[in-house]
Amino acid sequence: MKTLLVVLVVLAVVGGGTVALVNHLGGWTTLVGKAWAITYEVSAQPADTAVDVTYAQSPDRNRKETPRSVSASAPLPWSTDVVINAGEKASVTATPKGGQALSCRVLLDGVKELAAATAAPGQAVTCEAVTAS
């Protein structure tokens, strides 16, 4: 009987601690764990120049948070892999430093093309797609 009481007390403490931790992290609805592997690509003609790139990435695949924006200057061709939470917008924008014509793509799992675009020479290009929920 004493052993059963000890087991029940331990289970109550562990269960209560789990509930308290989840509530501290924002509640059950913010813990989603569903995210998509996204690849952004930017290319240009001529391809040996640099561009300014801004793209979205989710800060944490286990919490439902709005993707944050990351900016960088990069040589072409350029690509990066990120995680975007379900139902959020995956986007990449590239601005040329010269008169080249930029193209971009958003790929799901590095294979399926979700978005593609080509801009006029000297103009910024943007590709974006909302991930499935």
Side-chain angles (χ1 to χ4, degrees):
M1 185 69 175
K2 208 176 206 185
T3 304
L4 179 60
L5 182 60
V6 169
V7 169
L8 290 175
V9 168
V10 168
L11 288 174
V13 169
V14 169
T18 301
V19 169
L21 179 61
V22 167
N23 286 333
H24 173 73
L25 293 174
W28 298 106
T29 58
T30 61
L31 298 176
V32 292
K34 186 173 181 184
W36 300 103
I38 298 293
T39 300
Y40 297 124
E41 294 179 346
V42 177
S43 58
Q45 293 301 325
D48 60 348
T49 59
V51 295
D52 292 324
V53 180
T54 302
Y55 59 95
Q57 74 176 13
S58 293
D60 185 346
R61 73 174 295 130
N62 297 313
R63 291 178 55 103
K64 186 161 179 63
E65 296 182 47
T66 303
R68 67 176 183 221
S69 180
V70 178
S71 296
S73 183
L76 294 176
W78 174 87
S79 71
T80 193
D81 297 320
V82 301
V83 171
I84 298 291
N85 287 331
E88 297 290 345
K89 187 188 322 182
S91 68
V92 60
T93 299
T95 305
K97 293 185 177 183
Q100 70 265 46
L102 299 179
S103 296
C104 63
R105 296 192 322 154
V106 175
L107 304 172
L108 175 65
D109 293 331
V111 179
K112 182 179 178 187
E113 188 174 87
L114 300 178
T118 300
Q123 299 297 309
V125 66
T126 298
C127 290
E128 57 189 26
V130 176
T131 59
S133 295

